[in-house]
Amino acid sequence: VILLDMDQPVEALPHAQAAVQLDPADAFGRFLLGAALTGTGRNAEAAEELRRAIERNSSMTEARDLLRAIEQR
């Protein structure tokens, strides 16, 4: 989270991937992975992870907002 807040998505990506690997059902981990992927320009993969986050937690507005922004590009 700190690396994403510091606008360092490349550095955040392996940490987010590890979080998802440790707990694939965790919506927040999926959201973080989607955010990191977005920051590295991998929007198709990001959208997929954000959809997975929303499936696991339908009230996750951050994931919905980021997915909407990707889809509008």
Side-chain angles (χ1 to χ4, degrees):
V1 175
I2 293 170
L3 291 171
L4 288 173
D5 287 344
M6 295 174 60
D7 198 27
Q8 297 182 6
V10 172
E11 292 82 359
L13 187 57
H15 299 286
Q17 289 169 323
V20 168
Q21 192 172 33
L22 287 172
D23 188 358
D26 181 56
F28 190 68
R30 295 281 179 180
F31 165 71
L32 291 177
L33 181 53
L37 288 165
T38 300
T40 61
R42 295 164 60 180
N43 292 335
E45 293 171 82
E48 184 177 324
E49 291 302 330
L50 293 167
R51 286 187 195 99
R52 289 178 179 159
I54 294 165
E55 286 173 6
R56 287 159 175 78
N57 182 350
S58 61
S59 65
M60 185 172 271
T61 57
E62 303 93 340
R64 289 183 183 282
D65 292 344
L66 186 53
L67 180 59
R68 190 174 305 115
I70 290 171
E71 291 174 339
Q72 292 177 350
R73 292 181 185 170

